[in-house]
Amino acid sequence: MALESLAKGQQLPLQRSVEAFAIPSGQPVTLEEDTVVQVTQALGTAVTVVLEHSMYLIEGQELDALGLEPVPRPTLHEDATDEELEAFVWQQLRTCYDPEIPVDIVELGLVYGCRIDTLISGEKMVNVRMTLTAPGCGMGDVIAQDAKRKIESAPQVQKVHIEIVFNPPWSREMMSDEAKLELNMF
């Protein structure tokens, strides 16, 4: 079964125990084999599920626990340039979703910038400035941790800093036309 074939509300038994991330805390938890979970969202490379009134994010490389084809973590060749690394980072950010909104964080206008720094030690550090749809949004940690894990899959990256800022404040005007269309906001 492919990720795209999942339907919202679909119930699936876990075929093995799996590490997932609690929403909104982002804490890793183990969901046990044979537990039945309900799909709430299957976008990017992850699936958001509900179990006993709690939400969890199951990452792509763990999707075999749901009976799906796993999606391996993308990586980048070792001798990639900084430009290729930045393109990779943006690609990864486009696979990150607020668990409650079916549009990626780049199209939502939540990502304000990305910078690649070479530290004195020669290590590469990725800095991402982003915001949330509202200062009280409880999904910030989950989104930031998801982005961080995905960016860290590039072998050139030794450090990732995700900075959540509220200036300028997010507004609907920051959304792409595609995002507005997806959310019926035209």
Side-chain angles (χ1 to χ4, degrees):
M1 186 185 316
L3 181 66
E4 302 81 32
S5 66
L6 288 181
K8 183 176 181 175
Q10 185 173 352
Q11 295 191 347
L12 297 169
L14 293 176
Q15 299 188 11
R16 66 171 177 82
S17 294
V18 63
E19 182 178 274
F21 296 93
I23 298 172
S25 73
Q27 295 299 312
V29 297
T30 300
L31 303 180
E32 298 299 328
E33 182 177 1
D34 296 324
T35 301
V36 176
V37 296
Q38 183 175 1
V39 174
T40 62
Q41 184 167 274
L43 296 168
T45 58
V47 175
T48 304
V49 299
V50 172
L51 171 64
E52 298 173 358
H53 308 292
S54 295
M55 290 177 69
Y56 302 94
L57 179 75
I58 300 176
E59 292 188 318
Q61 69 274 11
E62 304 288 347
L63 292 181
D64 61 309
L66 293 169
L68 302 169
E69 286 293 320
V71 178
R73 255 184 220 258
T75 189
L76 192 61
H77 58 92
E78 299 238 357
D79 58 343
T81 65
D82 282 356
E83 291 78 22
E84 290 172 313
L85 180 56
E86 184 175 350
F88 174 84
V89 169
W90 282 104
Q91 178 186 15
Q92 295 315 299
L93 293 171
R94 284 185 172 86
T95 68
C96 298
Y97 290 78
D98 180 314
E100 299 176 326
I101 303 172
V103 175
D104 72 72
I105 63 174
V106 174
E107 295 299 321
L108 272 176
L110 298 180
V111 180
Y112 290 163
C114 166
R115 188 181 73 238
I116 312 295
D117 293 325
T118 303
L119 304 177
I120 292 172
S121 64
E123 295 177 311
K124 296 286 184 187
M125 179 172 177
V126 175
N127 295 282
V128 175
R129 288 186 73 241
M130 64 174 287
T131 193
L132 304 173
T133 55
C137 174
M139 300 299 163
D141 288 342
V142 170
I143 296 168
Q145 289 175 17
D146 186 33
K148 185 175 191 271
R149 283 189 301 272
K150 290 176 177 178
I151 294 167
E152 287 174 336
S153 66
Q156 301 82 346
V157 176
Q158 286 78 36
K159 298 181 183 193
V160 177
H161 177 68
I162 309 286
E163 180 183 13
I164 296 180
V165 299
F166 295 103
N167 191 12
W170 179 85
S171 69
R172 292 179 179 186
E173 289 74 37
M174 295 174 167
M175 296 169 59
S176 70
D177 288 344
E178 292 82 8
K180 290 176 186 173
L181 186 61
E182 176 69 28
L183 297 174
N184 296 318
M185 297 179 113
F186 269 115

